[in-house]
Amino acid sequence: MTYASIMVAMDLTDGARNRVRLAGRLADDFNARLIGVAAEQPAYVVPPMGPTPASAYALADSGETVLNDLRVAHEAFAAAAGGRNRLEWRSNLDVPVAFLAAQSAAADLVVVGRGVPGPPLFAVDPADAVMQLGRPVLVVPPDLDHLDAKRVVIGWKNTREARRAVWDALPFLKRASEVLVVSVDDGASSEGQDTLRLLQAHDVSAIRVRRDAQGELVSLALVEAAAEHGADLIVTGAYGHGRLREWVVGGVTRELLAGAPVCCLMSH
């Protein structure tokens, strides 16, 4: 198993350039093509009494401004990608996450940035990406430009989201020298023995540990486990309790998206 096509969401921040460098190195590791994606809708002005020549000019100017910004994003993507041969660029005047979702049919893995205050032009909310793309989403902190993934932490609970995430992460797991399956006990059964056997059947070197934590402390337990074992990738299922509930009362996905210091591969 491998990733033959890696897609990366592009915007005009330094974090996006780092993200493209990271995705480019992954493309080299997996011998994959790299696809850059950006989109934005013009700031349309709708006059109260219907279209007028003035409003038509405003629409044209707004659209041309966004098209120019997309050209700048394309140039930044090409520069950060470092002249690799298997590159592709896709952009359009559209809602960023909707366009990314439509294009994600061409990708095995989609790389997006972790949320930052005041989302920039073309920015994709990683929570929206996880929920809508139907692809594994690699969420990257803005200051990272590489991912070794020699040591990986799996946040395990026997849910469909976690099972999906483990399967989606197999190309990383098979290349890792150490995989830690962290069963976090939140009062429900979190046994991971079958997952351990499955990983071993795929020639993945994995060990299992158990942590006791509840609520927002589950995400902290995963981050601490990653730090203790020198892991730079956390693999988890996303929004097992539903996004609305996590938004209201907190949850593992929300907390990891808000501030995990390492990359997180998430599946929903």
Side-chain angles (χ1 to χ4, degrees), residues 10-11 21 28 32 57 61 69 73 78 102 131 144 161 165 167 170 201 204 211 214 223 227 249 267:
M10 185 65 189
D11 55 58
R21 294 184 188 101
D28 292 342
Y57 285 125
D61 288 346
D69 289 335
M131 291 294 291
L144 293 185
E161 292 82 10
W167 180 259
L170 267 178
V204 175
R211 297 287 179 98
Q214 292 188 357
V223 170
V249 302
S267 295

Side-chain angles (χ1 to χ4, degrees), residues 171-231:
F172 281 115
L173 303 179
K174 290 176 71 67
R175 295 168 58 91
S177 59
E178 180 181 283
V179 174
L180 194 69
V181 180
V182 181
S183 298
V184 181
D185 185 5
D186 62 355
S189 175
S190 300
E191 295 297 333
Q193 196 61 41
D194 284 337
T195 297
L196 207 64
R197 292 193 187 101
L198 177 65
L199 291 174
Q200 290 167 349
H202 282 279
D203 297 322
V204 175
S205 176
I207 59 174
R208 183 168 66 95
V209 299
R210 193 180 186 101
R211 297 287 179 98
D212 292 326
Q214 292 188 357
E216 296 177 2
L217 295 179
V218 173
S219 61
L220 180 60
L222 295 178
V223 170
E224 288 179 346
E228 291 169 6
H229 290 264

